[in-house]
């Protein structure tokens, strides 16, 4: 997907992202991020991890974020400036479009708090030095990257010897919500098949082999399943791959899609069950 898709997604991304928060918290706990001196969140989107890290980090720990989308960078910066000015603020609902549009990406307050964020592509990060970070976070990013080998080579380069990488990716076969959305899109005639290629990694063996071939050691990899709080549908829960299709479709087909999806939600509720989403997470070390 291009910059524009993710820029548009920035307005609703956090509504979806709040659900997989337990994936991220498990990863952060396993990384022991509170012991680190220098952390990179590569592909940080709206910065949903950043308040948590800043509240728990070691004194003088530096946190850097980067994202492919400038709108995501602006959103994250607006949130963090609000939070740094008043630690009781910074929730996504408190950020207005004006806050995002007028945000000062070079505010001295960011540097004063050892926080930096910039627009960048995880496949090539010339802005960052060799052996710079203790921790490299890749949260729901790797499956979207075109050249995954290049992205992991960059992660290896900028990690210190002994530094840790932490990765979370969705498992397509375990993503009931995405399967249900796709089924309703197909049944309403909007698409013939999945509108985007799922991740190449669908099992632990593949993921472990991929990371170890790039020189990482001490690998731990696990699957995790969580509930998703979707019991009704609105535009906030439509992923950008699907949003583009709906925007171009005739109203009749769009209405049919929504009717089918609402029925799926009712069927799930009748079973007293939520939709579920599965991830695969991994941590590993760059050899000392």
């Amino acid at each position: 997907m291009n910059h524009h898709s993710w820029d548009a997604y920035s307005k609703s991304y956090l509504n979806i992202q709040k659900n997989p928060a337990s994936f991220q918290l498990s990863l952060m706990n396993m990384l022991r991020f509170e012991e680190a001196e220098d952390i990179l969140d590569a592909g940080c989107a709206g910065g949903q991890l950043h308040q948590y890290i800043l509240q728990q980090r070691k004194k003088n720990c530096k946190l850097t974020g980067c994202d492919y989308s400038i709108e995501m960078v602006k959103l994250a910066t607006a949130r963090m400036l609000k939070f740094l000015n008043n630690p009781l603020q910074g929730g996504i609902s408190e950020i207005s479009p004006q806050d995002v549009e007028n945000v000062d990406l070079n505010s001295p307050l960011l540097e004063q708090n050892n926080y930096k964020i910039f627009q960048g592509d995880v496949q090539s990060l010339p802005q960052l030095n060799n052996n710079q970070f203790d921790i490299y976070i890749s949260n729901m990013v790797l499956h979207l990257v075109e050249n995954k080998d290049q992205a992991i080579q960059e992660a290896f380069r900028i990690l210190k010897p002994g530094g840790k990488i932490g990765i979370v990716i969705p498992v397509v076969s375990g993503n009931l919500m995405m399967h249900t959305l796709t089924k309703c899109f197909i049944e309403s005639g909007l698409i013939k098949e999945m509108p985007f290629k799922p991740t190449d990694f669908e099992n632990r063996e593949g993921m472990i082999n991929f990371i170890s071939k790039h020189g990482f050691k001490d690998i731990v990899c696990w699957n995790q399943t969580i509930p998703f709080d979707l019991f009704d549908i609105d535009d906030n829960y439509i992923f950008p791959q699907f949003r583009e299709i709906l925007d171009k479709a005739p109203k009749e087909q769009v209405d049919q899609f929504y009717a089918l999806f609402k029925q799926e939600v009712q069927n799930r509720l009748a079973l007293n069950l939520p939709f579920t989403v599965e991830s695969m997470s991994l941590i590993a070390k760059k050899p000392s």
Side-chain angles (χ1 to χ4, degrees), residues 219-288:
I219 299 169
V220 179
C221 185
W222 68 97
N223 286 64
Q224 195 170 341
T225 302
I226 54 151
F228 197 100
D229 78 340
L230 178 55
F231 297 117
D232 201 349
I233 184 165
D234 58 41
D235 290 351
N236 287 336
Y237 287 102
I238 300 294
F239 295 91
Q241 298 96 328
F242 290 135
R243 177 81 272 155
E244 290 171 14
I245 298 164
L246 283 178
D247 286 345
K248 295 172 187 166
K251 182 178 184 300
E252 188 180 331
Q253 275 184 305
V254 173
D255 290 346
Q256 188 183 359
F257 160 74
Y258 277 104
L260 285 166
F261 195 87
K262 282 183 176 170
Q263 187 56 55
E264 290 288 343
V265 172
Q266 289 308 311
N267 294 347
R268 200 79 187 146
L269 286 173
L271 297 170
N272 309 112
L273 287 171
F275 287 94
T276 50
V277 183
E278 185 183 352
S279 80
M280 187 158 46
S281 300
L282 176 145
I283 60 171
K285 274 187 188 174
K286 177 175 173 174
S288 300

Side-chain angles (χ1 to χ4, degrees), residues 99-145:
D99 289 335
V100 175
E101 198 47 48
N102 302 323
V103 71
D104 179 4
L105 294 173
N106 300 304
S107 167
L109 189 61
L110 303 174
E111 194 175 335
Q112 287 161 21
N113 285 276
N114 288 326
Y115 179 75
K116 180 182 176 184
I117 185 163
F118 64 93
Q119 184 181 15
D121 183 340
V122 298
Q123 296 166 107
S124 178
L125 293 167
Q127 307 92 331
L128 303 175
N129 299 327
N130 294 352
N131 308 318
Q132 183 175 347
F133 296 96
D134 299 298
I135 288 178
Y136 176 108
I137 300 163
S138 174
N139 175 43
M140 294 289 186
V141 176
L142 190 61
H143 59 293
L144 301 168
V145 174

